[in-house]
Amino acid sequence: MMVDLSSFSDEKFDPKQWINGACQSRHPQDPLDKHLVDLEMKLQMASEEIAVSLEELSASALHRVPRATRDVIRLRDDALSLRSSVSSILQKLRKAEGSSAESVATLAKVDTVKRRMEAAYETLQDAAGLTQLSSTVEDVFSSGDLPRAAETLANMRHCLSAVGEVAEFANIRKQLEVLEDRLDSMVQPRLTDALSNRKVDVAQEMRSILNRIGRFKSLELQYSKVHLKPIKHLWEDFELRQQANKVSNEKNEVERLSSANELQLNSSPISFSRWLPSFYDELLLYLEQEWKWCVLAFPEEYKTLVPNLVIETMSAIGSSFVSSINLAAGEAVPETKTLAKGIIDISTGDLSKGVKVQTKHLDALIELHNTTGSFARNIQHLFSDADLQVMLDVLKAIYHPFESFKRRYGQMERAVLSGEIAGLDLRGAAITLVGVQGVELSETVRRMEESIPQIILLLEAAVERCINFTGGSEADELILALDDVMLQYISTLQDNLKSLRAVCGLDADAVGSKKEMGSDRREGASNSRKVDFMSNEEEWSFVQGALQILTVADCLTSRSSVFEASLKATLARLSTNLSFSVFGSSLDQNHSHAANDDGSGQVAVTGRAALDVASVRLVGVPEKARKLLNLLEQSKDPRFHALPVASQRVTSFADAVNELVYDVLISKVRQHFNDLSRLPIWSSVEEHSARPLPTFSAYPQSYVTNVGEYLLTLPQQLEPLAEGISNSDANADEAQYFATEWMFKVAEGATALYVDQLRGIQYITDRGAQQLSVDIEYLSNVLSALSMPVPPVLATFHSCLSTPRSQLKELVKSDSGNQLDLPTANLVCKMRRVSLE
């Protein structure tokens, strides 16, 4: 057994506890005495080993202490010696510092004087040289040595900067400016010839001369001027072709009129949309050649010279380009082609109100924009070595002719969609002869249902046009246009619902009849539907047509929800792309865009990948960029509605459809229950005869049997619509729930109408009570057959009316509201002239 000695070092060591613990850990078969003897022996051996170890360690320590003492004494002597040496060095440094500081100060003064004298000497030399150069500069110009003249003028400029604003040299300063202009004018012919004939050596020499006199701007202007001329000829080629074609057509027309036997055909003019790609191809080829040549001739400036040429080109042809785009878009539609007008003329109201922007106008505009986009991507590839800001300026210039159209995008898109909706067949139902109104109802519902996929396709096409044309930079205007157009469409559907109500014979004031379900609203005679001369078959055609309207509401709700979700996804995607492109990172709620502004009102653009059409445009309008990106960021919120007003109107339309369907389904019940409370049978009395006659049981009257048969037949009418829902949604449970829900709505409404009429009965005889209880029992059986519980009010009417008049008071008092509806029971007592007092 090993002895654990660690517990002996504990300050709270308890010998008794330790011994007890040691005894408890012994083997049960070992005697306690033997165990204690063994434990004592092991403790004694352990103590002896500890004593021997302590003795050895003490002896070793005694040997090491003298040695350590000697080492400490030696270290102390070394430290004292080092301290003395350092103190001596410090004293020497203090003495040297005192004497050298004065010497250094003196040397500094001498150096300052020397530098001033050298500067004065150099200034005197420059002044003398300036005078000499001023007197000899005319000889240099006369020699025709342009590089030497440039060097002379550069030296004069250097000398003038050295002498500063000295009155004696004011005339020389003016003379220098005149001489620089003179040298610039002498360089221009040679530079023009070198640029036109691609003479690399001469061009480099002229560049060096202009750079030497600080006139590099003159090189840029001359380069653009030389190359802008052939490019403008390329652009004017279209106008020349158009004019030549016009002259040719006029000539052919004259010849045709003068020669009646000969038929002259007019040559068809080439369209701008077909000509523009060839112009871009030739321009791109020209720029590629210039880029390669400028790399050799101007290796330091080519990255700005050729891009600046593109900017100057687009600026020169800008107004003509806009006019050509406008007319080319107008040519897509015969009406505006005949008038030789375009989209801008329509938008500004220059044309009659009957002329509207059409889809073909926008498609032609987008086609031209796509052609320009292809050219812009080629330019971006060609100028890949240029700086990002230079590239941005070039792309802005290329897309600038379309800017006026993009600013009108929302207005144009709204006009296009409005025109498309106006072209849909959304005629409302017309009131026709009895017998064909059911067909008119079905046709109207069919037109409404077929229009929903068409309108969704129109909206999706509008979103695609916005992305293709503006890159999403007009997404805010797109949302407003889509919302307005959806409101226009839904308003048309609402008007159709009103026409359907008229066809169905429903009074518009009766809308809201849902309140009849479970309510105590009294029905007016004017709200009943007059169908005395209508066949039963046409009545059911009304029901089928009304039920079919539910599919219209369901389709509109689902399709609009799917479209809005798709639109939100598009906006979220634009948010990510544009946020990264324009601001360099995705926006967050606490993001400050001001940090990304470079102070010039321009929003920063990050990376060449950001140079898409939307980013290039938004950089120039930072306020619009911030508003748009805030809107796009909100689209990521699940609570965001891309079409907020339209969404509310869709819900309102669905509610209106439900109300219409309910009114149609309940109209037959209203017809039979109309004026029920005024039937003469309620106040009739049994006739007395001299001879006893046999009595017969009462039978339900026709009004209630007709309603009951209608309610029992209604599930069959709901079944086709439920099957259509089941087939479309693959959800039989939902279809069954739909049919049951509408069955219960109509049954509850019928019960409410019936109870409302019963409450209007002022007086009822025993015979009338007997008949009415039979009618109520029949209706209750119908409700039970439809798996609908009988309302307590109706059950109370039945109980109180079927009870003999003499026992009614006892029935009401004995029940005390346990099974009867007490207000209804009191009302029946009043009808039957039974006093409860």
Side-chain angles (χ1 to χ4, degrees):
M1 182 185 70
M2 298 298 295
V3 180
D4 183 12
L5 302 178
S6 59
S7 57
F8 287 92
S9 60
D10 191 358
E11 294 181 358
K12 298 180 180 180
F13 177 72
D14 186 359
K16 296 180 181 180
Q17 185 178 359
W18 187 86
I19 293 172
N20 291 332
C23 292
Q24 291 176 359
S25 62
R26 67 183 177 84
H27 195 275
Q29 297 180 357
D30 291 342
L32 180 60
D33 296 340
K34 181 180 179 182
H35 180 71
L36 292 175
V37 170
D38 293 341
L39 183 61
E40 181 182 3
M41 182 179 64
K42 289 178 180 179
L43 289 174
Q44 185 175 1
M45 292 175 63
S47 63
E48 290 177 357
E49 290 177 359
I50 293 173
V52 171
S53 177
L54 287 174
E55 185 176 355
E56 292 176 353
L57 292 174
S58 299
S60 176
L62 289 175
H63 285 296
R64 287 197 297 270
V65 167
R67 190 184 307 152
T69 302
R70 289 194 296 272
D71 292 340
V72 170
I73 293 173
R74 184 172 66 253
L75 288 173
R76 185 191 62 184
D77 294 341
D78 292 342
L80 292 174
S81 175
L82 179 61
R83 182 177 180 183
S84 177
S85 301
V86 171
S87 178
S88 175
I89 293 173
L90 288 175
Q91 289 179 0
K92 292 179 180 180
L93 288 175
R94 292 192 186 97
K95 292 179 181 179
E97 184 180 2
S99 58
S100 62
E102 298 176 359
S103 302
V104 171
T106 303
L107 289 175
K109 292 179 181 179
V110 172
D111 181 67
T112 302
V113 173
K114 177 184 176 184
R115 283 189 282 105
R116 290 175 180 173
M117 292 177 66
E118 289 176 348
Y121 174 72
E122 291 176 357
T123 302
L124 291 174
Q125 278 189 326
D126 291 336
L130 182 60
T131 304
Q132 183 180 0
L133 291 172
S134 177
S135 60
T136 60
V137 67
E138 286 296 334
D139 296 335
V140 175
F141 271 88
S142 300
S143 66
D145 189 351
L146 298 185
R148 182 184 171 195
E151 189 66 28
T152 300
L153 295 182
N155 290 334
M156 290 179 67
R157 177 69 66 183
H158 172 72
C159 293
L160 278 175
S161 63
V163 299
E165 298 293 334
V166 180
E168 286 78 3
F169 297 107
N171 292 332
I172 296 179
R173 190 178 300 279
K174 295 179 181 179
Q175 180 189 10
L176 177 60
E177 294 177 358
V178 174
L179 292 173
E180 287 177 345
D181 293 339
R182 180 180 171 186
L183 179 59
D184 192 345
S185 62
M186 294 174 66
V187 167
Q188 292 303 324
R190 298 187 186 184
L191 178 61
T192 301
D193 179 69
L195 294 175
S196 301
N197 299 309
R198 301 186 184 280
K199 298 178 181 179
V200 176
D201 295 337
V202 178
Q204 289 180 339
E205 182 181 5
M206 296 302 103
R207 165 193 167 278
S208 300
I209 292 173
L210 292 175
N211 278 345
R212 194 74 181 88
I213 62 174
R215 293 293 182 93
F216 176 73
K217 189 66 177 177
S218 179
L219 172 62
E220 290 183 333
L221 295 176
Q222 191 63 21
Y223 179 84
S224 298
K225 181 180 179 181
V226 169
H227 292 291
L228 193 57
K229 191 173 183 180
I231 294 177
K232 289 185 71 175
H233 283 320
L234 290 175
W235 176 259
E236 293 167 355
D237 174 68
F238 176 72
E239 296 180 357
L240 294 176
R241 287 189 185 185
Q242 294 293 88
Q243 293 176 0
N245 184 78
K246 182 178 180 181
V247 173
S248 176
N249 288 341
E250 291 177 353
K251 182 179 178 181
N252 291 339
E253 183 67 19
V254 173
E255 293 178 356
R256 187 183 66 82
L257 294 175
S258 62
S259 177
N261 297 326
E262 296 180 3
L263 180 62
Q264 299 287 339
L265 297 177
N266 293 345
S267 59
S268 60
I270 183 173
S271 65
F272 181 74
S273 58
R274 290 173 53 195
W275 174 85
L276 185 60
S278 62
F279 167 74
Y280 279 143
D281 291 341
E282 294 181 20
L283 177 58
L284 183 63
L285 179 61
Y286 189 89
L287 294 174
E288 287 176 348
Q289 295 173 351
E290 280 305 307
W291 184 268
K292 294 177 182 178
W293 185 79
C294 285
V295 170
L296 299 176
F298 309 114
E300 297 179 3
E301 295 87 4
Y302 76 97
K303 295 181 181 179
T304 57
L305 281 177
V306 185
N308 187 66
L309 173 61
V310 177
I311 296 174
E312 293 296 330
T313 298
M314 300 309 296
S315 176
I317 67 175
S319 58
S320 176
F321 203 153
V322 173
S323 177
S324 298
I325 293 173
N326 184 43
L327 294 178
E331 289 177 356
V333 177
E335 187 176 6
T336 48
K337 181 179 181 180
T338 304
L339 298 173
K341 299 294 183 180
I343 296 180
I344 294 181
D345 303 299
I346 301 174
S347 303
T348 54
D350 294 343
L351 302 180
S352 62
K353 293 184 178 180
V355 181
K356 303 292 184 181
V357 179
Q358 301 181 21
T359 305
K360 291 182 179 179
H361 286 133
L362 280 186
D363 290 341
L365 184 62
I366 293 173
E367 180 183 357
L368 295 173
H369 188 273
N370 291 340
T371 303
T372 302
S374 299
F375 173 70
R377 288 188 292 273
N378 291 330
I379 288 293
Q380 191 172 351
H381 178 72
L382 177 62
F383 297 165
S384 58
D385 294 338
D387 293 338
L388 184 62
Q389 187 60 44
V390 173
M391 182 68 72
L392 179 63
D393 294 338
V394 171
L395 295 179
K396 287 173 66 176
I398 291 174
Y399 286 117
H400 188 266
F402 293 91
E403 183 59 30
S404 58
F405 299 93
K406 292 179 180 179
R407 286 198 295 266
R408 293 180 172 89
Y409 168 75
Q411 176 186 356
M412 294 188 298
E413 191 65 75
R414 190 178 282 105
V416 167
L417 292 174
S418 297
E420 293 285 354
I421 291 177
L424 296 177
D425 186 6
L426 287 173
R427 290 171 292 132
I431 300 178
T432 59
L433 298 176
V434 175
V436 295
Q437 292 187 13
V439 178
E440 179 67 18
L441 174 63
S442 299
E443 285 298 310
T444 304
V445 173
R446 180 189 59 79
R447 291 193 294 267
M448 294 170 64
E449 187 173 6
E450 290 177 352
S451 70
I452 295 174
Q454 298 176 20
I455 191 67
I456 296 299
L457 289 177
L458 293 177
L459 299 181
E460 291 174 347
V463 176
E464 185 176 357
R465 284 195 293 268
C466 179
I467 300 299
N468 291 337
F469 186 51
T470 71
S473 59
E474 292 294 328
D476 49 347
E477 291 295 328
L478 171 69
I479 290 175
L480 295 177
L482 295 180
D483 215 10
D484 290 346
V485 168
M486 279 293 288
L487 289 181
Q488 175 187 345
Y489 173 68
I490 296 173
S491 297
T492 304
L493 296 183
Q494 295 276 19
D495 293 339
N496 283 358
L497 286 185
K498 293 179 181 179
S499 68
L500 292 177
R501 296 189 69 87
V503 168
C504 295
L506 301 174
D507 188 351
D509 295 333
V511 174
S513 56
K514 277 186 174 183
K515 297 178 181 179
E516 297 168 357
M517 294 183 290
S519 69
D520 293 331
R521 190 172 62 86
R522 185 172 297 276
E523 176 190 38
S526 62
N527 294 339
S528 64
R529 179 167 171 259
K530 306 301 182 182
V531 289
D532 296 340
F533 302 102
M534 186 175 294
S535 66
N536 188 61
E537 181 179 353
E538 186 166 7
E539 287 184 10
W540 284 116
S541 69
F542 273 103
V543 173
Q544 284 296 330
L547 291 176
Q548 202 62 31
I549 304 177
L550 292 173
T551 62
V552 175
D554 180 67
C555 182
L556 179 63
T557 303
S558 60
R559 293 296 291 268
S560 62
S561 298
V562 171
F563 171 74
E564 187 171 9
S566 174
L567 181 58
K568 284 183 61 177
T570 301
L571 296 177
R573 184 169 62 255
L574 284 176
S575 173
T576 302
N577 295 341
L578 292 181
S579 298
F580 178 79
S581 300
V582 180
F583 292 104
S585 62
S586 296
L587 302 178
D588 54 54
Q589 296 179 351
N590 300 319
H591 184 71
S592 174
H593 304 317
N596 295 284
D597 200 309
D598 60 5
S600 63
Q602 298 282 334
V603 182
V605 176
T606 61
R608 294 186 180 274
L611 295 178
D612 56 55
V613 58
S615 302
V616 169
R617 182 167 183 252
L618 290 175
V619 166
V621 281
E623 188 61 30
K624 177 179 178 60
R626 291 186 179 92
K627 291 182 179 179
L628 175 61
L629 291 173
N630 285 332
L631 172 65
L632 296 179
E633 187 64 20
Q634 293 174 11
S635 66
K636 297 180 180 180
D637 191 335
R639 299 168 295 178
F640 176 79
H641 281 283
L643 305 175
V645 181
S647 300
Q648 296 175 3
R649 292 294 293 272
V650 168
T651 303
S652 300
F653 174 76
D655 294 340
V657 167
N658 288 334
E659 291 177 358
L660 171 60
V661 173
Y662 177 79
D663 286 341
V664 170
L665 295 180
I666 204 71
S667 61
K668 188 178 181 69
V669 178
R670 275 207 195 94
Q671 173 200 352
H672 291 293
F673 283 164
N674 186 37
D675 288 338
L676 172 66
S677 60
R678 299 188 181 92
L679 291 180
I681 192 173
W682 311 138
S683 57
S684 65
V685 295
E686 191 172 342
E687 296 180 0
H688 298 281
S689 65
R691 299 178 181 181
L693 297 176
T695 58
F696 301 95
S697 300
Y699 290 93
Q701 298 183 80
S702 60
Y703 79 88
V704 74
T705 57
N706 289 336
V707 170
E709 291 173 0
Y710 173 75
L711 293 178
L712 292 174
T713 311
L714 195 57
Q716 300 175 9
Q717 302 297 324
L718 291 170
E719 185 176 353
L721 188 62
E723 290 178 354
I725 295 176
S726 177
N727 293 335
S728 60
D729 296 343
N731 192 339
D733 293 338
E734 181 180 352
Q736 184 62 35
Y737 173 77
F738 169 83
T740 303
E741 181 185 22
W742 274 102
M743 186 64 255
F744 275 26
K745 283 182 180 179
V746 177
E748 289 174 358
T751 305
L753 284 173
Y754 192 46
V755 170
D756 209 23
Q757 286 293 324
L758 296 182
R759 285 173 175 159
I761 299 174
Q762 300 298 322
Y763 169 68
I764 189 169
T765 63
D766 291 344
R767 182 183 177 187
Q770 180 183 7
Q771 181 62 55
L772 185 55
S773 67
V774 172
D775 296 345
I776 295 175
E777 183 179 5
Y778 174 82
L779 183 60
S780 300
N781 292 335
V782 171
L783 295 178
S784 299
L786 295 174
S787 301
M788 179 180 174
V790 178
V793 174
L794 191 61
T796 301
F797 267 112
H798 179 261
S799 298
C800 294
L801 291 171
S802 60
T803 301
R805 185 172 180 274
S806 59
Q807 302 176 12
L808 181 58
K809 180 177 180 181
E810 181 181 354
L811 173 66
V812 173
K813 289 190 174 183
S814 62
D815 183 80
S816 301
N818 294 329
Q819 294 181 354
L820 299 179
D821 180 68
L822 289 182
T824 302
N826 293 332
L827 179 62
V828 174
C829 291
K830 183 179 178 181
M831 294 177 186
R832 301 187 68 179
R833 302 295 189 263
V834 175
S835 176
L836 298 177
E837 296 179 356

